[in-house]
Amino acid sequence: MADPQERERTDPQAGKPRDWAGALGSETTVPSDHTVIGGALYEASKTVHNKRIDGPFRRFKWLIMIVTVAIYYITPWIRWDRGPYAPDQAVLVDLANRRFYMFDIEIWPHEFYFVAGLLIMAGIGLFIVTSAVGRAWCGYACPQTVWTDLFQHIDRLFDGDRNARARLDKAPWTASKITRRSAKWAVYLAIAFWTGGAWIMYFADAPTLTVDFWTGTADPVAYATVAILTGTTFWLGGFMREQVCVYMCPWPRIQTAMLDEKSLIVTYKDWRGEARGSLKKAAKDPDAYGDCIDCNMCVAVCPTGVDIREGQQIGCITCGLCIDACDRVMKDVGRPRGLIDYATLEQCEAEAAGAPATPAWKALLRPRVFIYFGVWGAIGAGLLFALGTRTHTDLTVSPERNPPFMLLKDGSVRNAYTLRLRNMEARPRDMEVALQGLPKGAVMWTDAVSVENAAPAQVIAVPANKTKVVRAYVLVPPGTGGDAREHFSFRLTSRDEQGEQDVAETTFEMPEDD
């Protein structure tokens, strides 16, 4: 094995990590399998047959895939008791009633800021992950990655490992190949259909919708949604796969702009591995060759077909399978692990200069990660505070403008209002609506209460999880004087042990004094 410092004296590129943005180069030589169109370089699409590998990162991918797929398929079937007046599905996006349920949390349309806050937290969470461990989201938890990984395991089940699949691709279309491909694509289609079917379960009661779906009585939108998601899952996960990551997804471009010399990513330590050579060559001249024996195992196991030895590329999803493969090879040939490893550019430069290897986890202790995490935590704390302090009653008032007021025979003035009383609890509640700020003697009544029963306050029954619209009339007796426009409020109070209140300000229109 060649000494790194000796190679650095003879090779000006030795000891220098590769250009991390080296996915596109400035070479003028065009390989035979490339086509130059309008001065741009395009590579023909190639089917990726990745090899099976075992190791810590592969086992972690198995764990993430099982957990995420189980959550996606099982969640709509989890029941959650909210009482007799609310749905018992744990997670439900009830578009018909404009509600979002997540276990004990119920989000109403006017509380969409909770959803916006969660989306912002998800975005900042991606920033945290990228700053800490590069494209780990892409490598482990992205739905495209999870379903592609699942379909690649289906490939192995039907067609064998990498070499067998490559041979089958080149083989003529015999009856055996047609049968095998048909069976495999049928499994693809079943998984894709199950995926689309699970999605619609989040928008309606899962058991009820399942019965309606298979009896042909479900809404046409449900069938259309399942058909679209089945087709996209079948095509994107079964055939396009890594092309979605390379050509369609914007996130790799965004993440590239977020990486710097302190970012922890999967990298090939070329100062240690170059020049490449087989074991036989290295045995004859150990000083001329590095640790890389050019076995191409890192390329063979990559789910996107990337050669990590060529530097960082947009196709690298930071899944770490090349680390598993390389560590196994290094163990077999008696060389230290870590030729391909999670590392930062700073760590690689220091290690190439002779410094001892730095634990990868130290790269997580950086200001950017703490700043992102602080912002993320502050937003989460704000949402929790708002969730814990919100009331379950709400009142909005809209004055009737045509006419703005009515002058009665006895000189009293009447205004009409539309009240919207919102009961955000899963039980019916009596709510008292009272007048505040009007002259003494002002009374109100509703369409459900006769004028004979007019009073400064009225009790209205509001159904569970409903907004009740009430037309209310307010009467100010004659001789009270005042301005042409009087400001006052409706006060809403729940008549239960909680005694929640809400106040809505409005105006009372009166004729101008002569």
Side-chain angles (χ1 to χ4, degrees):
M1 183 174 60
D3 178 63
Q5 296 181 353
E6 177 64 27
R7 292 204 311 275
E8 187 172 353
R9 289 192 292 269
T10 58
D11 181 2
Q13 296 300 319
K16 299 179 181 180
R18 292 184 182 274
D19 180 8
W20 287 26
L24 297 177
S26 59
E27 289 82 6
T28 56
T29 303
V30 180
S32 59
D33 59 343
H34 290 63
T35 305
V36 176
I37 303 175
L41 191 63
Y42 293 86
E43 183 177 8
S45 175
K46 298 177 182 178
T47 302
V48 175
H49 297 298
N50 64 319
K51 185 178 180 61
R52 184 182 182 277
I53 188 66
D54 185 37
F57 294 101
R58 174 63 262 181
R59 290 191 288 270
F60 186 62
K61 276 182 70 71
W62 270 114
L63 175 63
I64 296 299
M65 182 181 71
I66 293 171
V67 170
T68 52
V69 170
I71 290 174
Y72 177 74
Y73 288 132
I74 295 174
T75 297
W77 297 93
I78 300 175
R79 302 294 97 185
W80 196 262
D81 185 13
R82 300 186 182 91
Y85 301 100
D88 63 349
Q89 186 162 309
V91 178
L92 177 64
V93 182
D94 189 356
L95 296 179
N97 295 304
R98 295 185 296 177
R99 304 281 191 281
F100 172 61
Y101 298 93
M102 179 178 289
F103 300 97
D104 274 336
I105 300 174
E106 179 182 353
I107 304 299
W108 286 61
H110 71 287
E111 297 177 315
F112 188 79
Y113 56 86
F114 284 111
V115 179
L118 290 175
L119 293 176
I120 294 172
M121 288 185 67
I124 297 176
L126 287 177
F127 294 166
I128 295 173
V129 172
T130 303
S131 298
V133 287
R135 293 178 61 187
W137 161 261
C138 297
Y140 296 98
C142 172
Q144 175 65 23
T145 297
V146 171
W147 264 262
T148 295
D149 197 22
L150 179 60
F151 281 20
Q152 285 174 336
H153 290 302
I154 300 299
D155 289 347
R156 293 190 185 94
L157 179 64
F158 282 89
D159 299 338
D161 206 3
R162 183 172 186 262
N163 294 336
R165 298 201 305 275
R167 288 194 301 268
L168 186 63
D169 270 358
K170 297 177 181 178
W173 284 90
T174 61
S176 175
K177 181 176 180 178
I178 293 173
T179 302
R180 185 177 296 182
R181 285 294 165 85
S182 298
K184 182 177 73 172
W185 292 343
V187 175
Y188 281 3
L189 192 61
I191 294 174
F193 176 76
W194 195 13
T195 302
W199 177 257
I200 65 172
M201 301 301 173
Y202 285 89
F203 298 88
D205 182 66
T208 304
L209 182 56
T210 300
V211 174
D212 293 345
F213 188 90
W214 290 107
T215 57
T217 58
D219 193 284
V221 174
Y223 296 102
T225 303
V226 171
I228 292 172
L229 291 178
T230 298
T232 53
T233 305
F234 178 79
W235 186 249
L236 298 181
F239 299 94
M240 294 195 67
R241 296 185 178 178
E242 75 284 346
Q243 297 177 54
V244 175
C245 305
V246 176
Y247 300 111
M248 296 175 61
C249 181
W251 186 236
R253 280 86 179 166
I254 298 173
Q255 286 179 310
T256 299
M258 297 176 63
L259 297 177
D260 58 19
E261 68 278 359
K262 298 180 183 294
S263 300
L264 189 64
I265 62 172
V266 175
T267 186
Y268 167 68
K269 300 176 181 178
D270 60 346
W271 57 267
R272 172 184 157 186
E274 302 296 323
R276 307 171 198 169
S278 64
L279 288 174
K280 291 183 179 180
K281 292 180 179 180
K284 293 179 180 179
D285 190 0
D287 293 334
Y289 298 97
D291 282 349
C292 180
I293 63 173
D294 207 18
C295 63
N296 281 325
M297 276 292 291
C298 55
V299 182
V301 301
C302 180
T304 61
V306 165
D307 187 346
I308 193 64
R309 297 172 298 178
E310 299 302 319
Q312 274 296 304
Q313 299 150 71
I314 201 168
C316 176
I317 59 174
T318 319
C319 64
L321 296 187
C322 53
I323 300 177
D324 286 340
C326 188
D327 284 352
R328 172 179 289 187
V329 172
M330 291 297 101
K331 180 180 179 181
D332 290 343
V333 300
R335 296 176 182 177
R337 69 159 302 277
L339 178 59
I340 301 175
D341 206 356
Y342 266 101
T344 69
L345 177 60
E346 283 187 348
Q347 290 174 344
C348 286
E349 289 177 341
E351 194 172 343
T358 305
W361 62 266
K362 288 190 175 182
L364 305 180
L365 307 178
R366 51 184 304 206
R368 180 189 292 185
V369 175
F370 289 114
I371 290 172
Y372 284 149
F373 188 79
V375 174
W376 183 85
I379 296 174
L383 291 177
L384 289 175
F385 177 80
L387 191 65
T389 57
R390 70 172 181 170
T391 61
H392 294 81
T393 60
D394 187 67
L395 173 66
T396 57
V397 178
S398 301
E400 296 290 335
R401 297 301 183 186
N402 190 19
F405 63 88
M406 290 190 68
L407 182 61
L408 304 183
K409 291 180 181 181
D410 62 354
S412 59
V413 181
R414 190 190 77 185
N415 281 198
Y417 302 87
T418 299
L419 309 182
R420 288 178 171 81
L421 291 73
R422 185 178 291 117
N423 175 19
M424 298 168 58
E425 294 222 351
R427 58 189 174 92
R429 303 166 82 191
D430 290 336
M431 298 187 179
E432 180 186 80
V433 181
L435 302 175
Q436 286 185 190
L438 284 178
K440 186 177 180 180
V443 294
M444 65 175 293
W445 69 95
T446 68
D447 284 338
V449 177
S450 64
V451 66
E452 289 78 11
N453 295 319
Q458 296 290 340
V459 177
I460 302 171
V462 184
N465 276 315
K466 295 291 183 181
T467 298
K468 187 168 185 176
V469 180
V470 176
R471 184 177 176 84
Y473 304 93
V474 177
L475 184 73
V476 173
T480 55
D483 298 330
R485 174 175 292 181
E486 192 83 21
H487 293 275
F488 77 104
S489 303
F490 285 94
R491 186 188 73 240
L492 179 68
T493 305
S494 64
R495 302 190 66 176
D496 54 16
E497 66 279 0
Q498 293 171 288
E500 296 179 329
Q501 291 190 350
D502 191 25
V503 176
E505 296 182 354
T506 186
T507 57
F508 188 88
E509 303 290 342
M510 303 178 69
E512 296 183 5
D513 294 334
D514 294 334

